[in-house]
Structure formats: C-alpha cells, structure tokens
Amino acid sequence: MSQDTSERLEEHAVGSPSTNGAAPRHSSLDDRIAPRRRRWPWLVVGAAIGCGGTAAVAVTGEGGEAAEPIVEETVQLSTVTVETRDLVEEVEWSGTLAAGTSTVINAQESGVITAALEDGSTVERGDVVAVIGAEPVVALFGSVPMWRDLRNGDVGDDVRQLEANLVRLGFDVDGDVTIDDEFTSATETMVEAWEESLGLEATGTVLRSRVIVLAGPSVVTDPAVVGSTARADAQLAVIDTLAETVDVVGWQYDVDDETPGAVTSIAPVGTPIEHGTVLYSVDGVDVVAVVDTDDVTDAVLAAFETGDVEQIESVLVYIGFDPDQQIVIDDELDLATAAAVQRWQGSVGLPPTGSTNPRDYVPVPAAASDAFAVDTPYLAVGDLLGEGRVVMSLGAPTLSVSADIAVAEIDEFAVGDGVTIVQLDETEFVATVAEIADVASGTTTGQDAEPTVAVTFDVVDEPERYVSGAVTIVTESSRIDGAVVVPTRALITLVEGGFAVEVRDADGSTRLVGVELGTFDDGVVEIIDGSLEPSVEVVVPS
C-alpha cells in the first residue's frame, strides 16, 4: 500500500483470527474461518465511492502511449449503520426426551373394541379413551385407582376424587354437591347426568370398568385397536402422562352458621408451589400448601382433622409445643392453644396463623412438589366459597430430558441453568438443569470413548406435542452483551495485514478505519478495537 493510503488510516489494528477445534452452534473468535481476503480496486488506484463504481488500471504501451484501461472490478456499493447487538455462542448436545409417567391401561371387561382414540391423541379429563361394545372407558384425573363400583352410601377418597372430576366437568349444574368423601343423593344425581351425556342409561352407579384414572393431561402412545377383542385384565392401551394435576378443593366457611366465605385472594397462574405458599384466602384467612411433611406434621394435621380440641391440645403438649405449660386440656381453643399452634407452624416453616382448621392446609404430593405451580384458577376474588368447591388446579410436568455428558465437558452445566430443547420436527421448548450426577457412569461411544456424567433437565414449558426419543439440547456457552458489530462483508483485508472498514462521514467523504476483530456471529463481527461508534455508517458491497 502506498504511503498516501497508509496515512488515511486513523487506527491500524493487525492480526488475523485464530482457530481451534470447538464446534459451537454459532462460530466465535475461537472457532471460525477468517474472512475471505478481498483486494478492492481503490486500494490500488483510489476510491470509487457512491451508488456504484468502476475501478480501472492504466497500462502503458510501447513508446509511452497509454493503452486501453483494463477494468479490474465493478462493485455496487451502499452503506450500513454500525450497531450494538448481544452475541451468543450456543453449543448443541445430544439428549433424550421421555414422558415421566407411562400408564398401561387394562380392560376391566371383555368385548369387541368399537371405538378408540388414535395414536398421538391428547387425553383430557372426561375424554372417552375407548369403547368396548357399547360401554365407554372414560379418563378422570387423580391418584386413587378405580378399585370398586361406586354408588350412593359409599365413603372414601375415591368418592371425593369422583365428585371433584364430575364437578369440574360441569355436571353439578345446581351446585348441590359437596366435594367430600360421601356419595350422597346429590352425587347420585350428578352421576346420572354424566351417564346421560355418554349415551348411557341413568343408573346413578359408576362401574369400575367405566373409569381409568390418570395423573393429568396425557397422550395415547399405543392405542386400542378398533375391531379387536379386549380381554379382561389385559392391555387395552398405553398412555403417557404429560403433567400431573392436583385439584384444590376449598372448604372454608363460618363454622357457626356455615355461611359461605368470600375469596379475598388467589395465587396467580404460574405461582411455584413451595412449602407454605399461600394458595388462596377466604375472608382474610390464608390457605397454604403443605409440601414438606414429617411425623410431627402428620400427627398435628391428623389431630386437626378430628376437630376434637382436647385431642389437638394433647398432641401439641405431648410433642412439646407448650414449653411454659400454659395449655389447659379442655374443649376450648384459647390463646395458649393458638400460641402452641404457632410454635408448631414456625418449626415446620408454615405461616404462623394459629389455625387448627384442617381445611387451611393443602397437602401437595412431595414427589413432584418442586415442579408444581398454579395451573388453572376456577374461582376469582369475590366469589363465594361454600363447603366444597374446586378453587384451582395445580400442575407439574412429567416430561423429562436427560443427556450423558463427557466428564471433560461437564463444567458447561450447572443446576438451574436454562437450556433450549429442539425436537426432531424443529419445535422448541425451555428446560432447566435439574440434577448432575455425582459420579461418572457409562462411556461415550467411538474411538475416543471416555466416561460420562448423567444430566437431567426439568421441562419449564411443556410442548403442545412431543415425540419421545432423540432431541438436541442447546446451551449458551458464552455471551457478549452490547457488542459493537458490523457486517462481515464490510471488512477490508489490508495488503500489509490486518483489517479495516471504510467509514462515510456526514459530508459524503470516506476514510479508512483500522479495526481489531472479536467474535463472529450470524453474518456480523464484533469490533473490539477501532474508532467505531453505533450510528456510524460504513461502506459495504451491495
């Protein structure tokens, strides 16, 4: 380059990017091919700037006569604005997606299958999974298997589960059903309405063969085959559960006159359920989630369930929550009793309300408690809450993702990190690192086999559809926030080494600015040294 051209450089940054063997999703300074060296005509004969330009080199012939100019290159030029952008380097890993709960549904009676949901069909509360003869097999949500026929007069948790499901499905039109463990005449009337909706005779009795109990919304992965013969106690279908659902039944009312209370607060959708989370309140009284249980908690809650004040006081005294011996074991809930209850609540991490009402405590299954969140509210602030209404449902995804990561790369993961899961159909959803195994187990395959560490991920937002099997896990390896970037096509390779860009000033003149390059990402490059500011215009080939 001539001395005149060199003087046009306000700054001169030299050096070419180096490379190594990493394989990120987006290349960076440590993993890229250096930009193609471009020798622009005006570096030889001067600049031709504007909407377009033609560069030529004059060649002198014999006798000093000028020959016809030889066209070196024709380039259409335009400008772009220097901008700031967050640069993210992503790395892809191989993983496996699986449903946390796979349920084999057995037929309870024999007969020809006359209808069935197809493979991949979603199963919601109240859906008919299959029809055997003329008898539908209906999915309800819960945790208690359908182990008997249910009819008027029966008592048990399975009755409560049935009532909660049918109320949620809208068959308690007049609001006469109290969701409890007693099958009453009001329950019978609701069952009859449900039977009629299924095209059945209204008997008021729920046959065991008519119901399958699932933990929550599911997908059919091995359907019943229409036209085949179902055999009692043999497989009818296989269903994968996408999320576990818990219905929260409200009971709060004035104990003296049984007047329904008004809902004064309710946790918003998405609220994580932890030990002591306030789910809702009625007339200012909080109803909290109980997740962490032990023998003491179980004993106190069991005493609350009896409603026997003397027994409650006896349990509190025996366990040691009346250190000053202020409680008189009688039939009165006085200040000494309330203080003992608050001591118990404080010892187990619950809000110190002093309540002995069992309806103010909602047990949440511990197995998936860390993933439960408020899913659907069925009541709102101001609604009246009688003896038994479903206030909300809690949900916890059961889909899980796992991967075997080479020991040398395990530092790329930390519990709580967010990742993107890409399915084979290119749909994506978000997950977080849930657990990293303490020890290596298994080996990678291939010539360079080495020990691996098992990493599991919790699904944050479950996909509308999923396919069990291979997935791609995308992690963020590095991030540069607010990087100053220019398009890679703006780079000029200098003949003496290094890079520059051509800046166009407000008056239309142009000048070369030497730059040092940082990270490459998706058609742009970070400028880490050079007199470039956002909003400056640089010349690029158009």
PDB file of all heavy atoms in Angstrom, residues 419-449:
ATOM      1  N   VAL A 419     -31.893 -24.097  29.324  1.00  0.00           N
ATOM      2  CA  VAL A 419     -31.470 -24.641  28.032  1.00  0.00           C
ATOM      3  C   VAL A 419     -32.676 -24.650  27.101  1.00  0.00           C
ATOM      4  O   VAL A 419     -33.820 -24.537  27.537  1.00  0.00           O
ATOM      5  CB  VAL A 419     -30.904 -26.076  28.164  1.00  0.00           C
ATOM      6  CG1 VAL A 419     -29.712 -26.105  29.101  1.00  0.00           C
ATOM      7  CG2 VAL A 419     -31.984 -27.046  28.648  1.00  0.00           C
ATOM      8  N   THR A 420     -32.394 -24.783  25.815  1.00  0.00           N
ATOM      9  CA  THR A 420     -33.451 -24.929  24.811  1.00  0.00           C
ATOM     10  C   THR A 420     -33.432 -26.352  24.282  1.00  0.00           C
ATOM     11  O   THR A 420     -32.362 -26.863  23.919  1.00  0.00           O
ATOM     12  CB  THR A 420     -33.245 -23.940  23.650  1.00  0.00           C
ATOM     13  OG1 THR A 420     -33.275 -22.601  24.164  1.00  0.00           O
ATOM     14  CG2 THR A 420     -34.348 -24.103  22.608  1.00  0.00           C
ATOM     15  N   ILE A 421     -34.599 -26.986  24.254  1.00  0.00           N
ATOM     16  CA  ILE A 421     -34.719 -28.348  23.733  1.00  0.00           C
ATOM     17  C   ILE A 421     -35.328 -28.271  22.336  1.00  0.00           C
ATOM     18  O   ILE A 421     -36.406 -27.703  22.152  1.00  0.00           O
ATOM     19  CB  ILE A 421     -35.608 -29.226  24.638  1.00  0.00           C
ATOM     20  CG1 ILE A 421     -35.126 -29.149  26.096  1.00  0.00           C
ATOM     21  CG2 ILE A 421     -35.615 -30.656  24.133  1.00  0.00           C
ATOM     22  CD1 ILE A 421     -33.719 -29.620  26.323  1.00  0.00           C
ATOM     23  N   VAL A 422     -34.632 -28.833  21.357  1.00  0.00           N
ATOM     24  CA  VAL A 422     -35.101 -28.828  19.970  1.00  0.00           C
ATOM     25  C   VAL A 422     -35.490 -30.248  19.591  1.00  0.00           C
ATOM     26  O   VAL A 422     -34.665 -31.159  19.637  1.00  0.00           O
ATOM     27  CB  VAL A 422     -34.014 -28.302  19.015  1.00  0.00           C
ATOM     28  CG1 VAL A 422     -34.564 -28.215  17.595  1.00  0.00           C
ATOM     29  CG2 VAL A 422     -33.502 -26.937  19.471  1.00  0.00           C
ATOM     30  N   GLN A 423     -36.767 -30.434  19.226  1.00  0.00           N
ATOM     31  CA  GLN A 423     -37.246 -31.751  18.829  1.00  0.00           C
ATOM     32  C   GLN A 423     -36.925 -32.013  17.357  1.00  0.00           C
ATOM     33  O   GLN A 423     -36.477 -31.115  16.630  1.00  0.00           O
ATOM     34  CB  GLN A 423     -38.754 -31.857  19.075  1.00  0.00           C
ATOM     35  CG  GLN A 423     -39.144 -31.609  20.530  1.00  0.00           C
ATOM     36  CD  GLN A 423     -40.569 -32.024  20.806  1.00  0.00           C
ATOM     37  OE1 GLN A 423     -40.852 -33.193  21.050  1.00  0.00           O
ATOM     38  NE2 GLN A 423     -41.474 -31.066  20.769  1.00  0.00           N
ATOM     39  N   LEU A 424     -37.185 -33.224  16.931  1.00  0.00           N
ATOM     40  CA  LEU A 424     -36.856 -33.607  15.557  1.00  0.00           C
ATOM     41  C   LEU A 424     -37.635 -32.792  14.534  1.00  0.00           C
ATOM     42  O   LEU A 424     -37.170 -32.587  13.414  1.00  0.00           O
ATOM     43  CB  LEU A 424     -37.137 -35.108  15.358  1.00  0.00           C
ATOM     44  CG  LEU A 424     -36.220 -36.062  16.143  1.00  0.00           C
ATOM     45  CD1 LEU A 424     -36.657 -37.501  15.931  1.00  0.00           C
ATOM     46  CD2 LEU A 424     -34.758 -35.879  15.748  1.00  0.00           C
ATOM     47  N   ASP A 425     -38.836 -32.315  14.907  1.00  0.00           N
ATOM     48  CA  ASP A 425     -39.625 -31.505  13.973  1.00  0.00           C
ATOM     49  C   ASP A 425     -39.292 -30.021  14.079  1.00  0.00           C
ATOM     50  O   ASP A 425     -40.013 -29.176  13.570  1.00  0.00           O
ATOM     51  CB  ASP A 425     -41.121 -31.720  14.206  1.00  0.00           C
ATOM     52  CG  ASP A 425     -41.559 -31.283  15.603  1.00  0.00           C
ATOM     53  OD1 ASP A 425     -40.707 -30.832  16.387  1.00  0.00           O
ATOM     54  OD2 ASP A 425     -42.762 -31.393  15.898  1.00  0.00           O
ATOM     55  N   GLU A 426     -38.174 -29.689  14.774  1.00  0.00           N
ATOM     56  CA  GLU A 426     -37.648 -28.341  14.933  1.00  0.00           C
ATOM     57  C   GLU A 426     -38.444 -27.486  15.922  1.00  0.00           C
ATOM     58  O   GLU A 426     -38.113 -26.306  16.128  1.00  0.00           O
ATOM     59  CB  GLU A 426     -37.576 -27.597  13.577  1.00  0.00           C
ATOM     60  CG  GLU A 426     -36.647 -28.250  12.565  1.00  0.00           C
ATOM     61  CD  GLU A 426     -35.209 -28.324  13.060  1.00  0.00           C
ATOM     62  OE1 GLU A 426     -34.772 -27.387  13.734  1.00  0.00           O
ATOM     63  OE2 GLU A 426     -34.535 -29.326  12.775  1.00  0.00           O
ATOM     64  N   THR A 427     -39.507 -28.018  16.537  1.00  0.00           N
ATOM     65  CA  THR A 427     -40.184 -27.269  17.589  1.00  0.00           C
ATOM     66  C   THR A 427     -39.289 -27.217  18.819  1.00  0.00           C
ATOM     67  O   THR A 427     -38.504 -28.125  19.082  1.00  0.00           O
ATOM     68  CB  THR A 427     -41.541 -27.900  17.952  1.00  0.00           C
ATOM     69  OG1 THR A 427     -41.322 -29.255  18.386  1.00  0.00           O
ATOM     70  CG2 THR A 427     -42.475 -27.896  16.757  1.00  0.00           C
ATOM     71  N   GLU A 428     -39.409 -26.134  19.580  1.00  0.00           N
ATOM     72  CA  GLU A 428     -38.530 -25.912  20.718  1.00  0.00           C
ATOM     73  C   GLU A 428     -39.327 -25.677  21.994  1.00  0.00           C
ATOM     74  O   GLU A 428     -40.465 -25.210  21.940  1.00  0.00           O
ATOM     75  CB  GLU A 428     -37.622 -24.695  20.458  1.00  0.00           C
ATOM     76  CG  GLU A 428     -36.726 -24.826  19.238  1.00  0.00           C
ATOM     77  CD  GLU A 428     -35.839 -23.603  19.044  1.00  0.00           C
ATOM     78  OE1 GLU A 428     -36.009 -22.624  19.822  1.00  0.00           O
ATOM     79  OE2 GLU A 428     -35.006 -23.610  18.127  1.00  0.00           O
ATOM     80  N   PHE A 429     -38.730 -25.996  23.117  1.00  0.00           N
ATOM     81  CA  PHE A 429     -39.289 -25.627  24.404  1.00  0.00           C
ATOM     82  C   PHE A 429     -38.141 -25.447  25.392  1.00  0.00           C
ATOM     83  O   PHE A 429     -36.994 -25.795  25.105  1.00  0.00           O
ATOM     84  CB  PHE A 429     -40.314 -26.652  24.913  1.00  0.00           C
ATOM     85  CG  PHE A 429     -39.785 -28.052  25.081  1.00  0.00           C
ATOM     86  CD1 PHE A 429     -39.242 -28.475  26.283  1.00  0.00           C
ATOM     87  CD2 PHE A 429     -39.845 -28.967  24.032  1.00  0.00           C
ATOM     88  CE1 PHE A 429     -38.764 -29.762  26.445  1.00  0.00           C
ATOM     89  CE2 PHE A 429     -39.380 -30.260  24.177  1.00  0.00           C
ATOM     90  CZ  PHE A 429     -38.830 -30.659  25.395  1.00  0.00           C
ATOM     91  N   VAL A 430     -38.463 -24.869  26.546  1.00  0.00           N
ATOM     92  CA  VAL A 430     -37.439 -24.486  27.515  1.00  0.00           C
ATOM     93  C   VAL A 430     -37.375 -25.502  28.644  1.00  0.00           C
ATOM     94  O   VAL A 430     -38.397 -26.024  29.093  1.00  0.00           O
ATOM     95  CB  VAL A 430     -37.730 -23.085  28.081  1.00  0.00           C
ATOM     96  CG1 VAL A 430     -36.703 -22.697  29.141  1.00  0.00           C
ATOM     97  CG2 VAL A 430     -37.736 -22.060  26.950  1.00  0.00           C
ATOM     98  N   ALA A 431     -36.175 -25.787  29.119  1.00  0.00           N
ATOM     99  CA  ALA A 431     -35.964 -26.671  30.269  1.00  0.00           C
ATOM    100  C   ALA A 431     -34.849 -26.080  31.128  1.00  0.00           C
ATOM    101  O   ALA A 431     -34.163 -25.132  30.712  1.00  0.00           O
ATOM    102  CB  ALA A 431     -35.607 -28.085  29.812  1.00  0.00           C
ATOM    103  N   THR A 432     -34.687 -26.612  32.322  1.00  0.00           N
ATOM    104  CA  THR A 432     -33.596 -26.201  33.202  1.00  0.00           C
ATOM    105  C   THR A 432     -32.850 -27.427  33.697  1.00  0.00           C
ATOM    106  O   THR A 432     -33.422 -28.515  33.807  1.00  0.00           O
ATOM    107  CB  THR A 432     -34.115 -25.408  34.419  1.00  0.00           C
ATOM    108  OG1 THR A 432     -35.041 -26.220  35.148  1.00  0.00           O
ATOM    109  CG2 THR A 432     -34.785 -24.127  33.987  1.00  0.00           C
ATOM    110  N   VAL A 433     -31.564 -27.247  34.007  1.00  0.00           N
ATOM    111  CA  VAL A 433     -30.764 -28.342  34.550  1.00  0.00           C
ATOM    112  C   VAL A 433     -31.282 -28.646  35.955  1.00  0.00           C
ATOM    113  O   VAL A 433     -31.275 -27.791  36.833  1.00  0.00           O
ATOM    114  CB  VAL A 433     -29.273 -27.979  34.599  1.00  0.00           C
ATOM    115  CG1 VAL A 433     -28.467 -29.123  35.209  1.00  0.00           C
ATOM    116  CG2 VAL A 433     -28.765 -27.651  33.198  1.00  0.00           C
ATOM    117  N   ALA A 434     -31.749 -29.882  36.158  1.00  0.00           N
ATOM    118  CA  ALA A 434     -32.323 -30.272  37.444  1.00  0.00           C
ATOM    119  C   ALA A 434     -31.321 -30.990  38.331  1.00  0.00           C
ATOM    120  O   ALA A 434     -31.275 -30.776  39.540  1.00  0.00           O
ATOM    121  CB  ALA A 434     -33.545 -31.161  37.229  1.00  0.00           C
ATOM    122  N   GLU A 435     -30.509 -31.853  37.725  1.00  0.00           N
ATOM    123  CA  GLU A 435     -29.588 -32.660  38.535  1.00  0.00           C
ATOM    124  C   GLU A 435     -28.392 -33.076  37.701  1.00  0.00           C
ATOM    125  O   GLU A 435     -28.525 -33.398  36.512  1.00  0.00           O
ATOM    126  CB  GLU A 435     -30.305 -33.899  39.080  1.00  0.00           C
ATOM    127  CG  GLU A 435     -29.469 -34.756  40.011  1.00  0.00           C
ATOM    128  CD  GLU A 435     -30.236 -35.952  40.561  1.00  0.00           C
ATOM    129  OE1 GLU A 435     -31.408 -36.131  40.175  1.00  0.00           O
ATOM    130  OE2 GLU A 435     -29.663 -36.701  41.366  1.00  0.00           O
ATOM    131  N   ILE A 436     -27.228 -33.055  38.324  1.00  0.00           N
ATOM    132  CA  ILE A 436     -25.995 -33.541  37.708  1.00  0.00           C
ATOM    133  C   ILE A 436     -25.460 -34.649  38.597  1.00  0.00           C
ATOM    134  O   ILE A 436     -25.251 -34.444  39.796  1.00  0.00           O
ATOM    135  CB  ILE A 436     -24.961 -32.412  37.573  1.00  0.00           C
ATOM    136  CG1 ILE A 436     -25.517 -31.277  36.701  1.00  0.00           C
ATOM    137  CG2 ILE A 436     -23.661 -32.942  36.975  1.00  0.00           C
ATOM    138  CD1 ILE A 436     -24.630 -30.055  36.653  1.00  0.00           C
ATOM    139  N   ALA A 437     -25.269 -35.830  38.039  1.00  0.00           N
ATOM    140  CA  ALA A 437     -24.825 -36.979  38.831  1.00  0.00           C
ATOM    141  C   ALA A 437     -23.478 -36.688  39.496  1.00  0.00           C
ATOM    142  O   ALA A 437     -22.642 -35.956  38.956  1.00  0.00           O
ATOM    143  CB  ALA A 437     -24.723 -38.216  37.950  1.00  0.00           C
ATOM    144  N   ASP A 438     -23.300 -37.255  40.683  1.00  0.00           N
ATOM    145  CA  ASP A 438     -22.061 -37.033  41.440  1.00  0.00           C
ATOM    146  C   ASP A 438     -20.874 -37.803  40.873  1.00  0.00           C
ATOM    147  O   ASP A 438     -19.714 -37.402  41.040  1.00  0.00           O
ATOM    148  CB  ASP A 438     -22.255 -37.425  42.908  1.00  0.00           C
ATOM    149  CG  ASP A 438     -23.235 -36.516  43.619  1.00  0.00           C
ATOM    150  OD1 ASP A 438     -23.347 -35.343  43.208  1.00  0.00           O
ATOM    151  OD2 ASP A 438     -23.901 -36.977  44.564  1.00  0.00           O
ATOM    152  N   VAL A 439     -21.158 -38.925  40.221  1.00  0.00           N
ATOM    153  CA  VAL A 439     -20.080 -39.767  39.706  1.00  0.00           C
ATOM    154  C   VAL A 439     -20.315 -40.072  38.244  1.00  0.00           C
ATOM    155  O   VAL A 439     -21.439 -40.001  37.747  1.00  0.00           O
ATOM    156  CB  VAL A 439     -19.980 -41.098  40.496  1.00  0.00           C
ATOM    157  CG1 VAL A 439     -19.604 -40.825  41.930  1.00  0.00           C
ATOM    158  CG2 VAL A 439     -21.296 -41.865  40.420  1.00  0.00           C
ATOM    159  N   ALA A 440     -19.234 -40.379  37.547  1.00  0.00           N
ATOM    160  CA  ALA A 440     -19.318 -40.733  36.144  1.00  0.00           C
ATOM    161  C   ALA A 440     -19.867 -42.141  36.014  1.00  0.00           C
ATOM    162  O   ALA A 440     -19.587 -43.022  36.821  1.00  0.00           O
ATOM    163  CB  ALA A 440     -17.951 -40.634  35.487  1.00  0.00           C
ATOM    164  N   SER A 441     -20.666 -42.342  34.978  1.00  0.00           N
ATOM    165  CA  SER A 441     -21.211 -43.678  34.706  1.00  0.00           C
ATOM    166  C   SER A 441     -21.398 -43.823  33.215  1.00  0.00           C
ATOM    167  O   SER A 441     -21.907 -42.919  32.560  1.00  0.00           O
ATOM    168  CB  SER A 441     -22.558 -43.882  35.420  1.00  0.00           C
ATOM    169  OG  SER A 441     -23.491 -42.934  34.975  1.00  0.00           O
ATOM    170  N   GLY A 442     -20.983 -44.957  32.687  1.00  0.00           N
ATOM    171  CA  GLY A 442     -21.104 -45.179  31.254  1.00  0.00           C
ATOM    172  C   GLY A 442     -19.964 -44.507  30.510  1.00  0.00           C
ATOM    173  O   GLY A 442     -19.160 -43.769  31.073  1.00  0.00           O
ATOM    174  N   THR A 443     -19.902 -44.729  29.218  1.00  0.00           N
ATOM    175  CA  THR A 443     -18.871 -44.123  28.389  1.00  0.00           C
ATOM    176  C   THR A 443     -19.483 -43.658  27.095  1.00  0.00           C
ATOM    177  O   THR A 443     -20.516 -44.164  26.650  1.00  0.00           O
ATOM    178  CB  THR A 443     -17.748 -45.124  28.064  1.00  0.00           C
ATOM    179  OG1 THR A 443     -18.320 -46.260  27.395  1.00  0.00           O
ATOM    180  CG2 THR A 443     -17.036 -45.575  29.317  1.00  0.00           C
ATOM    181  N   THR A 444     -18.852 -42.680  26.486  1.00  0.00           N
ATOM    182  CA  THR A 444     -19.245 -42.291  25.150  1.00  0.00           C
ATOM    183  C   THR A 444     -18.783 -43.374  24.185  1.00  0.00           C
ATOM    184  O   THR A 444     -17.904 -44.162  24.482  1.00  0.00           O
ATOM    185  CB  THR A 444     -18.611 -40.947  24.768  1.00  0.00           C
ATOM    186  OG1 THR A 444     -17.193 -41.059  24.920  1.00  0.00           O
ATOM    187  CG2 THR A 444     -19.125 -39.835  25.650  1.00  0.00           C
ATOM    188  N   THR A 445     -19.386 -43.386  23.013  1.00  0.00           N
ATOM    189  CA  THR A 445     -19.025 -44.396  22.020  1.00  0.00           C
ATOM    190  C   THR A 445     -18.022 -43.822  21.037  1.00  0.00           C
ATOM    191  O   THR A 445     -17.865 -42.613  20.913  1.00  0.00           O
ATOM    192  CB  THR A 445     -20.284 -44.864  21.269  1.00  0.00           C
ATOM    193  OG1 THR A 445     -20.897 -43.730  20.646  1.00  0.00           O
ATOM    194  CG2 THR A 445     -21.265 -45.508  22.227  1.00  0.00           C
ATOM    195  N   GLY A 446     -17.371 -44.680  20.330  1.00  0.00           N
ATOM    196  CA  GLY A 446     -16.438 -44.241  19.312  1.00  0.00           C
ATOM    197  C   GLY A 446     -14.996 -44.458  19.729  1.00  0.00           C
ATOM    198  O   GLY A 446     -14.686 -44.975  20.799  1.00  0.00           O
ATOM    199  N   GLN A 447     -14.110 -43.988  18.878  1.00  0.00           N
ATOM    200  CA  GLN A 447     -12.685 -44.226  19.079  1.00  0.00           C
ATOM    201  C   GLN A 447     -12.163 -43.524  20.335  1.00  0.00           C
ATOM    202  O   GLN A 447     -11.304 -44.037  21.040  1.00  0.00           O
ATOM    203  CB  GLN A 447     -11.917 -43.737  17.846  1.00  0.00           C
ATOM    204  CG  GLN A 447     -10.416 -44.025  17.920  1.00  0.00           C
ATOM    205  CD  GLN A 447      -9.729 -43.602  16.641  1.00  0.00           C
ATOM    206  OE1 GLN A 447     -10.360 -43.098  15.729  1.00  0.00           O
ATOM    207  NE2 GLN A 447      -8.423 -43.830  16.567  1.00  0.00           N
ATOM    208  N   ASP A 448     -12.703 -42.330  20.629  1.00  0.00           N
ATOM    209  CA  ASP A 448     -12.231 -41.561  21.777  1.00  0.00           C
ATOM    210  C   ASP A 448     -13.198 -41.698  22.947  1.00  0.00           C
ATOM    211  O   ASP A 448     -13.595 -40.715  23.569  1.00  0.00           O
ATOM    212  CB  ASP A 448     -12.076 -40.089  21.398  1.00  0.00           C
ATOM    213  CG  ASP A 448     -11.063 -39.886  20.287  1.00  0.00           C
ATOM    214  OD1 ASP A 448     -10.061 -40.625  20.275  1.00  0.00           O
ATOM    215  OD2 ASP A 448     -11.280 -39.005  19.444  1.00  0.00           O
ATOM    216  N   ALA A 449     -13.612 -42.909  23.262  1.00  0.00           N
ATOM    217  CA  ALA A 449     -14.569 -43.138  24.343  1.00  0.00           C
ATOM    218  C   ALA A 449     -14.007 -42.656  25.665  1.00  0.00           C
ATOM    219  O   ALA A 449     -12.828 -42.811  25.950  1.00  0.00           O
ATOM    220  CB  ALA A 449     -14.912 -44.629  24.421  1.00  0.00           C
TER     221      ALA A 449
END
